[in-house]
Amino acid sequence: MTSAPAATVALSALSGQYTIDPSHTEIGFVARHAMVTKVRGAFTEFEGSATTSPGLADAAIALTIQAGSVDTGNADRDGHLRSADFFDVETHPTITFVSTRVVETAPQVLRVEGQLTMRGVTRPVAIDFDFDGAATDPFGNERVGLSGSVVVNRKDFGLEWNAALETGGVLVSENVTLVFEVSAIRSGDAPEAAPVEDEQPAPARASAPAAQAQPAAQGGFVAWLKKIFA
């Protein structure tokens, strides 16, 4: 099957359920070290899904990251990041994101607003993604690509450890850039909306005769009392 050029697909035309392909997706971060250079890292274990109808109607995204899978290319540093000084993976093994609003703010630009939970602390974040297009790969998978980033203050999530430098400043920057390079595979159609229920369900209408019979029964009881106490 020949894939269509990615640029010909409109973001608003997407529809269905999508699953993140971890082997072609990168979820990472960038932080400043010693005020003069940047350290980059990534998470190697995660899963995520999305669903949408045409025009991004009812679009929703969810992501779960295994915090212990952090990899910066340095074993000692990774061990420190897993400790209680940073991610505290023994107590808080996962980092999660759940969207609350998904809109197209400009042509082929997707804004995803939601709740990010890290180290047991939940904060609202808004991430802007560039829609890199959609295509069918040689194996018949319908793929979409998105890339985006957002800056967060790690102290807002309880990651407060730091060390002062003799020359001034600190060892690790408070602001950290989260980076997302996502490839997702369409895994099915979007769920159909639930049918609207009848405003007057059948059981309520069926009970009407019983309600009408009640006055007659009550009248018979009153007449019996009058005969006894007359």
Side-chain angles (χ1 to χ4, degrees):
M1 183 180 294
T2 303
S3 60
T8 64
V9 181
L11 177 59
S12 59
L14 297 180
S15 177
Q17 299 182 64
Y18 296 83
T19 302
I20 289 179
D21 177 8
S23 61
H24 294 93
T25 296
E26 181 177 355
I27 299 176
F29 56 88
V30 182
R32 282 213 166 267
H33 178 261
M35 310 294 291
V36 296
T37 189
K38 294 179 180 179
V39 170
R40 304 176 188 275
F43 298 96
T44 60
E45 296 178 22
F46 51 83
E47 59 184 7
S49 61
T51 183
T52 184
S53 297
L56 300 178
D58 303 319
I61 298 171
L63 173 68
T64 298
I65 300 169
Q66 298 301 319
S69 70
V70 62
D71 182 5
T72 65
N74 182 291
D76 291 338
R77 181 167 54 217
D78 294 345
H80 192 195
L81 288 173
R82 296 184 186 106
S83 74
D85 285 342
F86 288 97
F87 293 122
D88 191 10
V89 299
E90 290 190 6
T91 307
H92 307 288
T94 61
I95 299 169
T96 62
F97 175 82
V98 178
S99 68
T100 55
R101 183 168 179 259
V102 181
V103 294
E104 186 175 11
T105 56
Q108 307 296 68
V109 176
L110 188 72
R111 169 158 290 187
V112 180
E113 300 173 2
Q115 299 291 323
L116 175 64
T117 301
M118 184 161 40
R119 198 186 160 107
V121 179
T122 301
R123 301 284 187 188
V125 298
I127 310 169
D128 287 329
F129 287 91
D130 290 328
F131 178 51
D132 298 323
T136 302
D137 67 23
F139 305 100
N141 298 311
E142 296 179 42
R143 290 182 176 271
V144 296
L146 299 127
S147 55
S149 64
V150 63
V151 176
V152 299
N153 189 315
R154 61 186 177 87
K155 285 191 172 183
D156 290 343
F157 297 91
L159 284 73
E160 298 186 357
W161 184 91
N162 224 326
L165 301 175
E166 292 183 2
T167 54
V170 292
L171 185 64
V172 184
S173 63
E174 291 184 11
N175 287 336
V176 178
T177 302
L178 306 181
V179 181
F180 304 88
E181 296 288 343
V182 178
S183 178
I185 297 174
R186 192 175 188 276
S187 53
D189 295 331
E192 294 184 2
V196 178
E197 296 183 0
D198 190 350
E199 293 182 358
Q200 289 185 315
R205 292 194 295 269
S207 63
Q212 294 173 358
Q214 184 176 358
Q218 186 175 2
F221 177 69
V222 172
W224 177 74
L225 285 177
K226 287 181 178 180
K227 286 181 181 180
I228 294 177
F229 296 104

